[in-house]
Amino acid sequence: MRRKEFLAGMKAGMPVCVGYFSVSFGFGAMAIAQGLTVWQAVLISATNLTSAGQFAGLTVIASGAIILEMILTQLVINSRYALMSLALGQRLGPNAGTGKRLAAAFFNTDEVFALGMARGKQLTAGFFVGVGIVAALGWISGTAMGAVAGSLLPESVRMALGVMLYGMFIAIVVPQAREEKPILISVVLALVLSCLFAWVPGLNLISDGLAIVLCTVLAAAACALFFPVEEEEVAQK
Amino acid sequence: MIWLYILVMAVTTYLIRALPLTLFKKPIRNRFLKSFLHYVPAACLAAMTFPAILSATENWISGAVGLAVAVALALCRRSLILVSVASCTAVFLAEWLIKML
């Protein structure tokens, strides 16, 4: 991994670090409330690096469910990472070896993936891991702080800081959608589907993690059918 | 017992991320699959943002304000950090205003 790429990634990852700190602060506080120790909360954050999956995992632990339930919960909620990893692998290209891929996989969260994709064709594993390490620092330290001093930061400030992450997604998607019409269509399709899964009775029983996967697959498949990407264009990406 | 849960959780999450990255190393040739993966990132980010952003704050109105500010600034091609800090500031101000009213 080139040092320059890694440092550029660390710099780009700063806003994720701040956003993660506030979200994981809530996770740390909740873990303590569920009867875990500070070290257990920190270990979960250090080894999982995922918000929804960890919160769901806490619920499984608190309810004392069987191990199989933990596996199934994580599979459903985190299945979007499989899609992201597939897209990330294609972007990294054949030059990225197994070691680099295994390292990048560990840091493949929603936000790190978003920043990696925003980097475009020149994305390297070094950049990706750079973003990931800074993000992980925010995530782990936020968990520790939340576990030790859960009542320090008022809820409203924490929630407002959590919106930073959504702000990042918007900052990445909007310019792409503006540039390329089929991407705009895929975004609109995904938004409509996502609203259906959130609000239509029956459909809203589907877990958030699975709903995101379904929205993504349906919207991307529809656009791939109607607006297949030109051969050369893909070759460059 | 809690440690076993933590171990299982970590291994499951990592495998979901690592297997697709390491098993599919070669460039995908199929045109449909290539196009599909081209559209995955934006579609996925969009689905994760909305309507989730409306329930990420204490009040859906402040979430909507944050969303509007972020979209407006992103349309003007402002930097990522500015968009995210501005939308989070907007949420904070909106919640403060709502409490005052």
Side-chain angles (χ1 to χ4, degrees):
Chain A
M1 282 173 207
R2 265 186 248 125
R3 201 184 143 87
K4 219 175 132 190
E5 281 293 308
F6 181 71
L7 290 177
M10 288 185 79
K11 198 172 158 223
M14 292 299 177
V16 185
C17 182
V18 178
Y20 271 13
F21 186 91
S22 55
V23 176
S24 65
F25 193 93
F27 174 79
M30 193 174 150
I32 297 304
Q34 302 275 14
L36 270 71
T37 65
V38 174
W39 286 111
Q40 287 167 338
V42 169
L43 184 66
I44 293 180
S45 281
T47 53
N48 281 272
L49 217 61
T50 165
S51 61
Q54 288 186 200
F55 280 104
L58 268 190
T59 320
V60 174
I61 293 177
S63 69
I66 54 169
I67 290 293
L68 181 69
E69 193 172 329
M70 178 63 96
I71 297 177
L72 289 178
T73 309
Q74 298 303 317
L75 271 181
V76 170
I77 294 183
N78 291 334
S79 47
R80 66 181 184 287
Y81 293 131
L83 273 179
M84 292 183 193
S85 279
L86 201 56
L88 173 67
Q90 291 296 304
R91 188 64 67 86
L92 286 177
N95 291 331
T98 307
K100 285 180 180 175
R101 281 164 184 263
L102 287 176
F106 184 79
F107 297 105
N108 195 11
T109 69
D110 304 335
E111 292 76 15
V112 177
F113 172 78
L115 283 183
M117 288 295 140
R119 184 89 169 157
K121 284 170 244 167
Q122 72 261 45
L123 173 68
T124 59
F127 179 85
F128 198 86
V129 171
V131 176
I133 284 181
V134 169
L137 280 179
W139 188 249
I140 296 166
S141 57
T143 306
M145 286 292 287
V148 174
S151 50
L152 215 73
L153 210 58
E155 176 89 358
S156 62
V157 176
R158 250 183 16 231
M159 286 186 128
L161 283 174
V163 173
M164 266 188 95
L165 301 175
Y166 291 112
M168 272 181 37
F169 291 162
I170 294 165
I172 290 166
V173 169
V174 169
Q176 283 182 18
R178 201 179 154 171
E179 209 109 300
E180 223 181 295
K181 197 143 188 221
I183 289 198
L184 175 65
I185 296 172
S186 76
V187 165
V188 172
L189 264 177
L191 287 179
V192 172
L193 289 166
S194 164
C195 290
L196 291 179
F197 280 112
W199 293 324
V200 174
L203 282 181
N204 60 12
L205 297 176
I206 293 172
S207 83
D208 289 350
L210 191 58
I212 288 168
V213 172
L214 289 173
C215 294
T216 308
V217 168
L218 290 173
C223 284
L225 264 184
F226 292 109
F227 315 102
V229 184
E230 296 300 323
E231 288 295 333
E232 323 84 87
E233 198 183 323
V234 177
Q236 287 171 2
K237 294 248 152 119
Chain B
M1 187 59 185
I2 287 183
W3 300 102
L4 180 65
Y5 277 122
I6 296 176
L7 178 73
V8 169
M9 199 169 149
V11 171
T12 314
T13 309
Y14 184 64
L15 286 181
I16 296 170
R17 286 169 169 157
L19 290 181
L21 252 166
T22 44
L23 295 183
F24 300 92
K25 266 193 205 159
K26 284 184 186 153
I28 291 173
R29 298 253 169 256
N30 179 291
R31 195 175 179 201
F32 174 79
L33 265 182
K34 270 183 179 174
S35 307
F36 174 76
L37 289 176
H38 175 73
Y39 293 117
V40 159
C44 188
L45 294 181
M48 285 194 296
T49 305
F50 196 84
I53 191 171
L54 297 182
S55 43
T57 55
E58 278 183 48
N59 187 308
W60 72 267
I61 299 172
S62 57
V65 170
L67 174 74
V69 167
V71 171
L73 288 174
L75 277 174
C76 302
R77 297 182 196 283
R78 297 299 157 153
S79 71
L80 190 125
I81 186 117
L82 184 89
V83 173
S84 47
V85 170
S87 79
C88 139
T89 313
V91 166
F92 197 69
L93 289 178
E95 289 200 338
W96 182 73
L97 265 177
I98 290 168
K99 271 186 204 132
M100 298 292 282
L101 290 173

